[in-house]
Amino acid sequence: MAESTNMRLRLPLLCIILEVILIILFGALVEYNDDTHAKLWNANKSHSATRDDYENEFYYRYPSFQDVHVMIFVGFGFLMTFLQRYGFSSVGFNFLIAAFSLQWATLMQGFFHGMHHGKIHVGVTSMINADFCTGSVLISFGAVLGKTSPVQLLVMAIFEVTLFAVNEFILLSMLGANDAGGSMTIHTFGAYFGLMVTRVLYRPNLDKSKHRNSSVYHSDLFAMIGTIYLWMFWPSFNSAITNYGDPQHRTALNTYYSLAACTLATFAFSALVNPEGKLDMVHIQNAALAGGVAVGTAGEMMLTPFGSMIVGFLAGTISVLGYKYLTPVLESKLKIQDTCGIHNLHGMPGVLGAVVGAVTSALASPGVYGDGLQRVFADAETGKWNPQSRGGFQAISLAVTLGMALFGGLVTGFILKLPIYGAPPDTHCFEDGLYWEVKTFQYHFYNY
Amino acid sequence: MAESTNMRLRLPLLCIILEVILIILFGALVEYNDDTHAKLWNANKSHSATRDDYENEFYYRYPSFQDVHVMIFVGFGFLMTFLQRYGFSSVGFNFLIAAFSLQWATLMQGFFHGMHHGKIHVGVTSMINADFCTGSVLISFGAVLGKTSPVQLLVMAIFEVTLFAVNEFILLSMLGANDAGGSMTIHTFGAYFGLMVTRVLYRPNLDKSKHRNSSVYHSDLFAMIGTIYLWMFWPSFNSAITNYGDPQHRTALNTYYSLAACTLATFAFSALVNPEGKLDMVHIQNAALAGGVAVGTAGEMMLTPFGSMIVGFLAGTISVLGYKYLTPVLESKLKIQDTCGIHNLHGMPGVLGAVVGAVTSALASPGVYGDGLQRVFADAETGKWNPQSRGGFQAISLAVTLGMALFGGLVTGFILKLPIYGAPPDTHCFEDGLYWEVKTFQYHFYNY
Amino acid sequence: MAESTNMRLRLPLLCIILEVILIILFGALVEYNDDTHAKLWNANKSHSATRDDYENEFYYRYPSFQDVHVMIFVGFGFLMTFLQRYGFSSVGFNFLIAAFSLQWATLMQGFFHGMHHGKIHVGVTSMINADFCTGSVLISFGAVLGKTSPVQLLVMAIFEVTLFAVNEFILLSMLGANDAGGSMTIHTFGAYFGLMVTRVLYRPNLDKSKHRNSSVYHSDLFAMIGTIYLWMFWPSFNSAITNYGDPQHRTALNTYYSLAACTLATFAFSALVNPEGKLDMVHIQNAALAGGVAVGTAGEMMLTPFGSMIVGFLAGTISVLGYKYLTPVLESKLKIQDTCGIHNLHGMPGVLGAVVGAVTSALASPGVYGDGLQRVFADAETGKWNPQSRGGFQAISLAVTLGMALFGGLVTGFILKLPIYGAPPDTHCFEDGLYWEVKTFQYHFYNY
């Protein structure tokens, strides 16, 4: 008999302990920042006659934050409801680990990104960053979807959020990298972390749950809710934490065109790789989003709509081809069981995005950016800026991210392998009934 | 034989009469406010050189308004689609009574909150307030869901909106209470009003429709759409009508953390109270939202993320325990048939929110708030401000709200008991087929 | 045997060719505008001390853009999922043709609305305009839903977008018409274009697919997601490109009240026209939106909430009556097979909106608008403004739109009739299985 999957003690205990720790740490470390603090916001105002309410960062960032928030909870949550009997877990566990991760990320990112007299300052920008970090965990969730207990997922989140913050610190603070939309920090990191975890958790007998590892008609429609929200709000995601003004505006625009071009590539190649020319919902649900991932680094740069469309088209193409030809090989040869195909949606497009970002950085010049150069490349202000070395640092950032993700996933995978978390047996993967009350009886509709 | 449920004359007649009355009253009483009026907006500009388009309240409030609007129509509407055969009515009647209530609320709130030379002034803030009042009606709808005709619901809305505006006037204008997110005015009022209505409408033979008073797999997923949208946009709800700048920013932040902590408590206690440790969709769909309700009053104050998380955690806990242990008792002992469990989601967390608000008010000091004090506590400006008495007025406000809600619900309940509205018979509660064209035949999918 | 519906070569070839052409044209013609360009945004700043980041058009328009974007992809996409076996195609083809159309519209609108030294300038306003044009194509899609291949739809989009841009140019630039919410340019144009296309594509034997041309229970709930999103965000749609300040604010307000009144009319007449007084989901899903269409022209004017509610009430009424009494006649007498009933939602309400706009324009006066007159009527600035002639030009604009739409639809219809696009045979209309991989086996839920 497999280990018990009963969550009655394990899950409550872990949730309560984690939340109590979070509350204590928040009490000790977290403070309102200047824009959210009753006293400081006003105090600052008196320093400068021109500072007024409309200058509060809330009005520049909050609409973007809400769009990102929708992507995290509805986008990721519903995208994963495509499985026929795993809808409760997809949207429910997504909800749980996101609610935990955003709190933990506030602490970890605050710790690494600069304490203020020993305190972490929070406001709408930290909320967006916490949601971003959460997104990375949810990407990894996609790889292990259906094969893990909620306790395992929370443990994974603890480690992944921590390493995310370390990697982000190395990239943004030490290497001075640009990555506003997170091609590297979010997508590449989350994807390769998750792939390594699922590799370590390899189940040779997963075939026993094969009949549940697919969609039904309406579950595919629920998943499309997730897809469409991710697609629509990706311009907000990539632009949420860029500098105000033209960079934020330009990033949204570039992402919009990249996604549009990506969608045409996705439909084209989905039909092309099918013997009967039929479209595959898996491709439409996922590959059409790759264009957002692939401009996550370069989106704020002068990539131009033209460049964005080329990148988007490429991203959609490699993503569909990945689903069709690479995923089966990863599973059979490398023993990587990737439920949602995150390698195709986040892994390869994330790497592509990092490369595009490095190249676009290396090509940047004052002639193109004018006085706006330092609004995109922070170190341009210091006068020590050199586009070629900037491009080089971007490339190094990708390598660091891959290393951190693979190493972190390896360690985390082995921790998750301990037989104490109530993981589902091979015969009951992709099954809500294990962790949820599910009605066994359904009244038949409308037979009166 | 039960009274006829045919809506052919009753519903059209009521809708048309109500809309005609609304149109006449709007024609007589409603005017654009300064920020929406072509002449006045420009006229004001010339008075002050610094006033410019970006100062129009539209840009401070409209994104929040749209988030609130989504909560009212998608959030409440889909949350209630969990019933297996009542999805059309849940989302459809929600739509109908919300569309009516927001118009009626514009008039009632405008009447009580101060006429301008005999006219009601409207703009984005009045739109938000009308949506808020509508939310209260929809909370009450949750208690009587499945047991009322659309005509009854409209009649309930007429009375509830009116009393809501009176109660709101007493609290905000007479008692000077703080309640930006409506823990008292919206949640406590709506919950106890609805509970009293359903008490008066008690059906001893509701068991005859018991087989329909539960969810099926996909109806629970539709309901999660509602849940997640309510959860995501609650920060916008609580901050929608606070003062500009730091209060709006801070409220969103506090609500964000309260909800996150609440979600962990909800998962913990949902598993804990189940013998097999299985999660219950009812809890996840509802209790995870209690954290938003419980910071509806104190959210704009210097509650800190630490305080918000404690409140959220408590709210989630009492909400799950309420669903598990209190709801059955309310039904069996007090004859309160509360379809959606609004007592657990809005009632108790609303009262908790009122208490938290009173305590946080009583602890407020210029040392903590600095010059921002009067941005939160309006009467601090007059110099007559005293935190302890402020806390006392908050507590009185809660008592007034409970009294108004229970009394109003009692009277309204008896009015709704008249056998003229086409209420469903006990054998056909929770049934769309009574009021909607529903196909009796379903083509079977994909058997070719 | 019917022509092959295999998309393996046709669809990829068309998608790839179109996208390559788009990329080349974007490379040659499209540039960032001043507000999105790193160099120009900063350069402009130095010209004027008062221009600051918050003046970037991004902050005035982007929240509205995202709401419009949701309407285009979720609103239209899910509204059309009501068909029992056509959900993949509804939301999927909607996605495909929208992604294409917004790129093509950027070029066509940019070309007609004024090149800058041979270049098309893009930013958030052009994104909104491109989405608007896309909306028009999706309206036409509603008429031919279920009866066309994706290749046909793309070809339709090529022509419709082009003609849309021409018509918009004539109306806005040559006739100086007001039509911020597109009663004429979007709704009337899209509706009559689509009706003419479906007329030309008339299928006398469509009865063979009749059993699939209806909804099932859950498909109607999916469609309600689309409806509610369209309804909620219509205030953003109509106000997205009006002038800043009071016009944008007022338009949102007017649309809000128009829709609320429309909803009551819809419920009233839906029950009234049914012998048993039962509500019809088709009416609720569609007619409740007509109020948004009908204030698309006059919404920015001083229509007042009173006027808006009258217009909304009328729109809902004629829309329900159209569904009940006119649609069957259009099909049997005029051979217009209008799957979604776009004539009732976009056609008649669009014409109503144009007439209301003409009348409201003709009644405009400096006494009512004050200095705000020229913020609504651009030519009022020149001093040559005359409200009666303005009203006349509005009426001419309607006539031009109808002519362009009918002529364009006629030509496009004949082009789409060529037997080369893989259109579905009469026996397989309204059927996802033709163009999508659909599982033929469904694991039965929860029988353990």
Side-chain angles (χ1 to χ4, degrees):
Chain A
M1 187 55 203
E3 63 165 317
S4 163
T5 58
N6 190 312
M7 288 288 120
R8 185 154 193 196
L9 292 181
R10 275 182 275 226
L11 184 60
L13 221 63
L14 182 60
C15 285
I16 294 170
I17 289 173
L18 287 177
E19 191 59 48
V20 168
I21 292 172
L22 285 168
I23 290 175
I24 292 169
L25 291 174
F26 265 71
L29 294 172
V30 174
E31 280 184 356
Y32 294 121
N33 72 6
D34 287 6
D35 288 44
T36 51
H37 195 293
K39 195 187 207 166
L40 301 179
W41 174 247
N42 280 276
N44 285 330
K45 264 187 74 178
S46 56
H47 286 198
S48 151
T50 60
R51 191 158 188 210
D52 214 335
D53 282 336
Y54 51 78
E55 296 183 73
N56 194 296
E57 63 171 339
F58 184 79
Y59 302 104
Y60 294 84
R61 302 268 187 230
Y62 189 72
S64 305
F65 161 72
Q66 274 297 5
D67 292 350
V68 171
H69 217 40
V70 171
M71 293 173 73
I72 296 298
F73 288 88
V74 164
F76 281 104
F78 278 88
L79 180 57
M80 296 191 276
T81 58
F82 71 97
L83 290 171
Q84 54 188 281
R85 295 165 72 120
Y86 208 63
F88 291 7
S89 303
S90 295
V91 73
F93 295 164
N94 186 84
F95 191 17
L96 172 64
I97 59 177
F100 164 70
S101 297
L102 63 87
Q103 297 176 77
W104 185 234
T106 304
L107 294 172
M108 288 297 106
Q109 293 179 314
F111 182 73
F112 282 108
H113 295 190
M115 311 276 280
H116 304 256
H117 306 293
K119 298 287 185 181
I120 291 164
H121 282 193
V122 292
V124 67
T125 305
S126 77
M127 288 160 74
I128 295 170
N129 278 318
D131 268 36
F132 275 3
C133 177
T134 298
S136 193
V137 177
L138 300 178
I139 290 166
S140 303
F141 177 32
V144 298
L145 188 76
K147 302 170 296 185
T148 39
S149 76
V151 169
Q152 276 178 303
L153 294 171
L154 283 170
V155 172
M156 183 178 85
I158 297 170
F159 288 98
E160 184 164 1
V161 165
T162 310
L163 281 163
F164 176 99
V166 174
N167 184 58
E168 193 184 35
F169 172 72
I170 297 173
L171 264 61
L172 306 190
S173 300
M174 293 173 63
L175 297 172
N178 277 56
D179 198 21
S183 290
M184 293 182 285
T185 54
I186 302 168
H187 298 287
T188 303
F189 181 82
Y192 289 97
F193 187 101
L195 291 168
M196 191 50 108
V197 168
T198 199
R199 173 64 191 82
V200 177
L201 297 179
Y202 178 65
R203 289 169 181 260
N205 299 315
L206 190 58
D207 267 7
K208 290 179 182 169
S209 290
K210 195 173 144 187
H211 54 294
R212 272 185 246 98
N213 187 8
S214 61
S215 63
V216 291
Y217 193 70
H218 278 167
S219 72
D220 265 329
L221 277 180
F222 277 112
M224 278 304 282
I225 297 175
T227 297
I228 299 286
Y229 271 100
L230 288 168
W231 195 92
M232 294 185 303
F233 288 165
W234 218 295
S236 302
F237 189 95
N238 283 347
S239 67
I241 56 160
T242 60
N243 273 320
Y244 298 162
D246 66 278
Q248 199 168 5
H249 197 162
R250 184 168 60 246
T251 311
L253 187 75
N254 288 337
T255 308
Y256 172 82
Y257 286 117
S258 175
L259 285 163
C262 179
T263 302
L264 265 79
T266 299
F267 275 83
F269 285 91
S270 184
L272 193 62
V273 299
N274 182 289
E276 300 174 82
K278 291 190 181 180
L279 297 161
D280 189 330
M281 261 291 170
V282 172
H283 303 156
I284 309 306
Q285 284 161 5
N286 293 280
L289 302 168
V293 175
V295 295
T297 302
E300 64 177 322
M301 304 175 193
M302 292 291 285
L303 183 59
T304 74
F306 169 69
S308 305
M309 288 158 74
I310 293 174
V311 174
F313 192 85
L314 280 176
T317 305
I318 62 171
S319 190
V320 172
L321 297 178
Y323 274 100
K324 183 72 182 180
Y325 301 111
L326 195 54
T327 294
V329 175
L330 288 183
E331 176 150 3
S332 60
K333 304 290 180 202
L334 297 183
K335 299 185 177 174
I336 295 172
Q337 293 161 325
D338 177 6
T339 310
C340 294
I342 63 166
H343 188 249
N344 311 306
L345 170 47
H346 301 279
M348 293 189 295
V351 172
L352 173 63
V355 172
V356 171
V359 172
T360 315
S361 297
L363 296 173
S365 73
V368 172
Y369 289 77
D371 293 340
L373 190 64
Q374 68 201 39
R375 293 164 72 92
V376 177
F377 302 99
D379 53 1
E381 201 167 354
T382 65
K384 295 188 300 184
W385 187 74
N386 173 309
Q388 282 72 39
S389 80
R390 191 85 317 279
F393 279 116
Q394 293 291 126
I396 294 168
S397 296
L398 173 61
V400 170
T401 300
L402 285 168
M404 292 284 294
L406 292 171
F407 171 76
L410 185 73
V411 174
T412 305
F414 277 106
I415 293 167
L416 295 182
K417 223 174 168 165
L418 299 174
I420 56 174
Y421 307 111
D426 290 346
T427 51
H428 282 78
C429 288
F430 316 114
E431 171 59 62
D432 275 338
L434 220 51
Y435 303 116
W436 296 85
E437 281 287 339
V438 180
K439 308 288 183 307
T440 58
F441 166 80
Q442 298 204 10
Y443 192 89
H444 286 290
F445 276 10
Y446 302 109
N447 47 359
Y448 52 95
Chain B
M1 187 56 203
E3 63 166 316
S4 163
T5 59
N6 191 314
M7 289 287 121
R8 186 155 194 194
L9 291 181
R10 276 182 273 225
L11 184 60
L13 220 63
L14 182 61
C15 285
I16 293 170
I17 291 173
L18 286 177
E19 192 58 48
V20 168
I21 293 173
L22 285 168
I23 290 175
I24 292 170
L25 291 174
F26 265 71
L29 295 172
V30 173
E31 280 184 355
Y32 293 122
N33 72 5
D34 286 7
D35 289 44
T36 51
H37 195 292
K39 195 188 208 167
L40 301 179
W41 174 249
N42 280 277
N44 286 329
K45 264 187 75 179
S46 56
H47 287 197
S48 151
T50 62
R51 191 158 187 211
D52 213 336
D53 282 336
Y54 51 76
E55 296 183 73
N56 194 296
E57 63 170 341
F58 183 79
Y59 302 104
Y60 294 85
R61 302 266 187 232
Y62 189 72
S64 306
F65 161 71
Q66 275 296 5
D67 291 349
V68 171
H69 217 39
V70 171
M71 293 174 72
I72 296 298
F73 287 88
V74 164
F76 281 105
F78 277 88
L79 181 57
M80 295 191 277
T81 58
F82 70 98
L83 291 171
Q84 55 189 281
R85 295 165 72 119
Y86 208 63
F88 290 7
S89 302
S90 295
V91 73
F93 295 164
N94 186 86
F95 190 19
L96 172 64
I97 58 178
F100 164 71
S101 297
L102 64 86
Q103 296 176 77
W104 184 234
T106 303
L107 293 172
M108 288 297 107
Q109 294 179 314
F111 182 73
F112 283 109
H113 296 189
M115 311 276 279
H116 304 257
H117 305 292
K119 297 288 185 180
I120 291 164
H121 282 193
V122 292
V124 67
T125 305
S126 77
M127 288 159 74
I128 296 170
N129 278 318
D131 268 35
F132 275 2
C133 177
T134 298
S136 193
V137 178
L138 300 178
I139 290 166
S140 303
F141 177 32
V144 298
L145 188 75
K147 302 170 296 185
T148 37
S149 76
V151 168
Q152 276 178 302
L153 294 170
L154 283 170
V155 172
M156 182 178 85
I158 297 170
F159 288 98
E160 185 164 0
V161 165
T162 309
L163 281 163
F164 176 98
V166 173
N167 185 57
E168 192 183 37
F169 172 72
I170 296 173
L171 264 61
L172 305 190
S173 300
M174 293 174 61
L175 298 171
N178 278 56
D179 198 22
S183 289
M184 294 182 286
T185 53
I186 302 167
H187 299 287
T188 304
F189 181 82
Y192 289 96
F193 187 99
L195 291 168
M196 191 52 107
V197 168
T198 198
R199 173 64 191 83
V200 177
L201 297 180
Y202 179 66
R203 289 170 181 259
N205 298 315
L206 190 58
D207 267 6
K208 290 179 183 170
S209 290
K210 195 174 145 186
H211 54 293
R212 271 185 247 98
N213 187 8
S214 61
S215 64
V216 292
Y217 192 70
H218 278 166
S219 71
D220 266 328
L221 277 180
F222 278 112
M224 278 303 283
I225 297 175
T227 297
I228 299 286
Y229 271 99
L230 288 168
W231 195 92
M232 293 185 303
F233 289 165
W234 218 296
S236 303
F237 189 95
N238 284 346
S239 67
I241 57 159
T242 61
N243 272 321
Y244 298 162
D246 64 278
Q248 198 168 5
H249 197 164
R250 186 168 58 248
T251 310
L253 187 75
N254 288 336
T255 308
Y256 172 81
Y257 286 117
S258 176
L259 285 163
C262 179
T263 302
L264 265 80
T266 299
F267 276 83
F269 285 91
S270 184
L272 193 63
V273 300
N274 182 288
E276 300 174 82
K278 291 190 180 179
L279 297 162
D280 189 331
M281 261 291 171
V282 172
H283 303 156
I284 309 307
Q285 284 161 4
N286 292 281
L289 302 168
V293 175
V295 295
T297 303
E300 64 176 323
M301 303 175 194
M302 290 291 284
L303 182 60
T304 75
F306 168 70
S308 306
M309 288 157 75
I310 293 173
V311 174
F313 192 85
L314 279 176
T317 304
I318 61 172
S319 190
V320 172
L321 297 179
Y323 273 101
K324 184 71 182 183
Y325 301 111
L326 194 54
T327 294
V329 176
L330 288 183
E331 175 150 4
S332 60
K333 303 289 180 204
L334 297 183
K335 299 186 177 174
I336 297 172
Q337 293 160 327
D338 177 6
T339 310
C340 294
I342 63 164
H343 188 247
N344 311 304
L345 170 47
H346 301 280
M348 294 189 294
V351 172
L352 173 64
V355 172
V356 171
V359 172
T360 314
S361 297
L363 296 174
S365 74
V368 173
Y369 289 76
D371 293 340
L373 191 64
Q374 69 201 40
R375 292 163 75 89
V376 178
F377 301 100
D379 51 2
E381 202 167 353
T382 64
K384 295 189 298 185
W385 187 73
N386 172 308
Q388 282 73 40
S389 81
R390 191 87 315 280
F393 278 116
Q394 294 290 128
I396 294 168
S397 296
L398 173 60
V400 170
T401 300
L402 285 168
M404 292 285 293
L406 292 172
F407 171 77
L410 186 74
V411 173
T412 306
F414 278 104
I415 293 167
L416 296 182
K417 225 175 166 164
L418 299 174
I420 56 174
Y421 307 111
D426 291 345
T427 51
H428 282 77
C429 288
F430 315 114
E431 171 59 61
D432 275 339
L434 219 52
Y435 302 116
W436 296 85
E437 281 287 338
V438 180
K439 308 288 182 305
T440 57
F441 167 79
Q442 298 204 10
Y443 192 88
H444 287 289
F445 276 10
Y446 302 109
N447 46 358
Y448 52 94
Chain C
M1 187 56 201
E3 62 166 316
S4 164
T5 59
N6 191 314
M7 289 287 121
R8 186 154 193 196
L9 291 181
R10 275 182 274 224
L11 184 61
L13 221 62
L14 182 60
C15 285
I16 293 170
I17 291 173
L18 287 177
E19 191 58 49
V20 169
I21 292 172
L22 285 168
I23 290 175
I24 292 170
L25 290 174
F26 265 71
L29 295 172
V30 173
E31 279 184 354
Y32 294 122
N33 72 5
D34 287 7
D35 289 43
T36 51
H37 195 293
K39 195 187 206 166
L40 301 179
W41 174 248
N42 280 277
N44 286 329
K45 263 186 75 177
S46 56
H47 286 197
S48 151
T50 61
R51 190 157 189 210
D52 214 336
D53 282 335
Y54 52 76
E55 297 183 73
N56 194 295
E57 63 172 339
F58 184 79
Y59 302 104
Y60 293 85
R61 301 265 187 232
Y62 188 71
S64 305
F65 161 71
Q66 276 295 5
D67 292 349
V68 170
H69 217 39
V70 171
M71 293 174 72
I72 296 299
F73 288 89
V74 165
F76 281 104
F78 277 88
L79 181 57
M80 295 191 277
T81 59
F82 71 97
L83 291 171
Q84 54 188 284
R85 295 165 72 121
Y86 208 63
F88 291 7
S89 302
S90 295
V91 72
F93 295 163
N94 186 85
F95 191 18
L96 172 64
I97 59 178
F100 164 71
S101 297
L102 64 87
Q103 297 176 78
W104 184 235
T106 304
L107 293 173
M108 288 297 107
Q109 294 179 314
F111 182 73
F112 282 109
H113 296 189
M115 310 277 278
H116 304 258
H117 304 292
K119 298 288 183 180
I120 291 164
H121 282 193
V122 291
V124 66
T125 305
S126 78
M127 288 159 73
I128 295 170
N129 278 318
D131 268 35
F132 276 3
C133 176
T134 298
S136 192
V137 177
L138 300 179
I139 290 166
S140 303
F141 177 32
V144 299
L145 188 75
K147 302 170 295 186
T148 38
S149 76
V151 169
Q152 276 179 302
L153 294 171
L154 284 169
V155 172
M156 183 178 85
I158 297 170
F159 289 98
E160 184 164 0
V161 165
T162 310
L163 281 163
F164 176 99
V166 173
N167 185 58
E168 192 184 35
F169 172 72
I170 297 173
L171 265 62
L172 305 189
S173 301
M174 292 174 62
L175 298 171
N178 278 55
D179 198 21
S183 289
M184 294 181 285
T185 53
I186 303 168
H187 298 287
T188 303
F189 181 82
Y192 290 95
F193 187 100
L195 291 168
M196 191 51 107
V197 168
T198 198
R199 173 65 191 81
V200 177
L201 297 180
Y202 178 66
R203 288 169 181 261
N205 298 314
L206 191 58
D207 267 5
K208 289 179 183 170
S209 291
K210 193 174 148 188
H211 54 294
R212 272 185 247 97
N213 187 9
S214 60
S215 63
V216 291
Y217 192 69
H218 279 166
S219 72
D220 265 328
L221 277 180
F222 278 113
M224 278 303 282
I225 297 174
T227 297
I228 298 286
Y229 271 100
L230 288 167
W231 195 92
M232 294 186 302
F233 289 165
W234 219 294
S236 302
F237 189 95
N238 283 348
S239 67
I241 56 160
T242 60
N243 272 321
Y244 298 162
D246 64 277
Q248 199 168 5
H249 197 163
R250 185 168 58 247
T251 310
L253 187 75
N254 288 337
T255 308
Y256 172 82
Y257 286 117
S258 175
L259 284 163
C262 178
T263 302
L264 265 81
T266 299
F267 275 83
F269 286 91
S270 184
L272 193 64
V273 300
N274 183 288
E276 300 173 83
K278 292 190 181 180
L279 297 161
D280 189 330
M281 262 292 170
V282 172
H283 304 156
I284 309 305
Q285 284 161 6
N286 293 282
L289 301 168
V293 175
V295 296
T297 302
E300 65 177 322
M301 304 174 193
M302 291 291 286
L303 182 61
T304 75
F306 168 71
S308 305
M309 289 158 74
I310 293 173
V311 173
F313 192 85
L314 280 177
T317 304
I318 62 171
S319 190
V320 172
L321 297 179
Y323 274 100
K324 183 72 182 180
Y325 301 110
L326 194 55
T327 294
V329 176
L330 288 183
E331 176 151 2
S332 60
K333 303 289 180 205
L334 298 183
K335 299 185 178 176
I336 295 173
Q337 293 161 327
D338 176 6
T339 310
C340 295
I342 63 165
H343 187 248
N344 311 304
L345 169 48
H346 301 280
M348 293 190 294
V351 172
L352 172 64
V355 172
V356 171
V359 173
T360 314
S361 297
L363 297 173
S365 74
V368 173
Y369 288 76
D371 292 340
L373 191 63
Q374 68 200 41
R375 292 164 74 88
V376 177
F377 301 99
D379 52 1
E381 203 167 353
T382 64
K384 294 189 299 187
W385 188 73
N386 173 308
Q388 282 72 40
S389 82
R390 190 87 314 279
F393 279 116
Q394 293 291 126
I396 294 168
S397 296
L398 173 60
V400 170
T401 300
L402 285 168
M404 291 285 293
L406 292 172
F407 171 76
L410 185 74
V411 173
T412 306
F414 278 105
I415 292 168
L416 295 182
K417 224 174 167 167
L418 300 174
I420 57 174
Y421 306 111
D426 291 345
T427 51
H428 282 78
C429 287
F430 316 114
E431 171 58 63
D432 275 338
L434 220 52
Y435 302 117
W436 296 85
E437 280 288 338
V438 181
K439 308 289 182 305
T440 57
F441 167 80
Q442 298 204 9
Y443 192 89
H444 287 289
F445 276 10
Y446 302 109
N447 47 359
Y448 52 93

